[in-house]
Amino acid sequence: MIRSFIDHMRDRKGYSPHTLRSYETDLRQFHRFLVSRERTVQRGSIAGGEMISADFHVIREYLGSLYGRCKRTTIARKLSAIRSFFLFLEKNGTIQGNPAAEVASPKLEKTIPTYLLVDEVFRLLESPAREKTLDVRNLAILEVLYSSGIRVGELVALNLSSMDFDERILRVIGKGNKERIVPIGKKALKAVKEYLQKTATMRRRLGYASENAPLFLNVRGGRLSARTVARITKRKALDRGLSPEVSPHSMRHSFATHLLDGGADLRSVQELLGHASLSTTQKYTHVSIDRLMEVYDRAHPRSK
């Protein structure tokens, strides 16, 4: 049943491969917990030849066993996987009621996203003579991340057809397999053009004339991975004397924060980031409000 559930979430719900892998791992871990406590019944099939039999209290017991070993965000994701799985079984008529429906999610800490100052971004994007193709590619990657605010998974999924140089837009496939249109800056477009010129010979050799060919390539000519982009970002940050915690997501956070600081409204930033809920975008306002308070305290004659 786990396999059927994962196939359903991929084909009907459009979940990303990363989320599907996490959900499958979470459910198999939950199954092992139940087996160790003899909480399974013989009919049906979930993992091998057994069906999960669990109630509200068993699920609470399982989640309680994770505290101290997992972050709260991880526990919340595991509960989400279990809740979605039992909902799938309920809708299929396999079980009556969802035993995870009333289990409360752990309270998550509110964190302000890590972001770079404008000067730090400029320092990161400064580049000496770019003779090597990899240097040209890496700069283009960072420029696109900061210019568009797209997720790293969305970046590595870009094809040649995703970028419209004339209209200065990207067509991005986001979460839930939803497409959105994102503007992109001139400096990022220039960096990508330079990269495409550098790789033109290799692309012809690999038969990448199709517009469905990957935009960013690894050293073997295949599609770049998200993990490689993370390494590229961290290495470049260290080279420029910045924090080793800088990641592709830091570029996304910086994009949102700098737009809000520049006067963009929250709803527009939500659309650009591809957030389904405005509350997800609102976390970026904390950074901007802190900045405004600093300016207010420093400048207003009655602030002290």
Side-chain angles (χ1 to χ4, degrees), residues 122-132 134-139 142 194 198 236 239-240:
F122 276 49
R123 196 194 321 169
L124 183 68
L125 298 178
E126 283 177 2
S127 185
R130 300 185 300 277
E131 297 181 0
K132 295 181 180 178
L134 289 183
D135 292 335
V136 176
R137 181 201 66 184
N138 295 348
L139 177 62
L142 293 173
E194 185 179 353
K198 280 277 189 179
K236 188 68 184 295
D239 288 345
R240 306 307 295 174

Side-chain angles (χ1 to χ4, degrees), residues 137-155:
R137 181 201 66 184
N138 295 348
L139 177 62
I141 286 171
L142 293 173
E143 286 279 10
V144 170
L145 284 173
Y146 178 61
S147 180
S148 63
I150 61 176
R151 302 175 179 93
V152 64
E154 296 167 346
L155 176 113

Side-chain angles (χ1 to χ4, degrees), residues 173-226:
I173 304 300
K175 290 186 176 181
N177 210 30
K178 295 178 181 177
E179 183 183 80
R180 72 181 188 278
I181 305 299
V182 181
I184 185 167
K186 293 179 180 178
K187 289 186 180 296
L189 288 174
K190 181 180 178 182
V192 172
K193 283 181 180 178
E194 185 179 353
Y195 169 61
L196 291 178
Q197 290 170 359
K198 280 277 189 179
T199 56
T201 302
M202 180 176 68
R203 289 175 185 274
R204 283 195 296 270
R205 177 167 47 82
L206 293 170
Y208 281 169
S210 167
E211 293 211 335
N212 290 324
L215 179 61
F216 292 111
L217 306 175
N218 60 30
V219 292
R220 296 180 299 278
R223 189 178 293 276
L224 206 61
S225 71

Side-chain angles (χ1 to χ4, degrees), residues 5-6 9 15 19 22-24 26-27 30 59 62-63 66 72-88 98 100-101 103-106 108:
F5 167 71
I6 296 299
M9 300 305 276
Y15 278 36
T19 301
S22 298
Y23 270 30
E24 183 167 5
D26 294 339
L27 290 172
F30 181 48
I59 297 170
Y62 169 66
L63 296 177
L66 299 176
R72 290 191 177 190
T73 50
T74 302
I75 296 173
R77 188 201 67 215
K78 292 179 184 296
L79 174 58
S80 176
I82 294 168
R83 191 180 284 149
S84 298
F85 177 71
F86 279 120
L87 179 62
F88 168 75
N98 184 344
V103 179
S105 296
L108 302 180

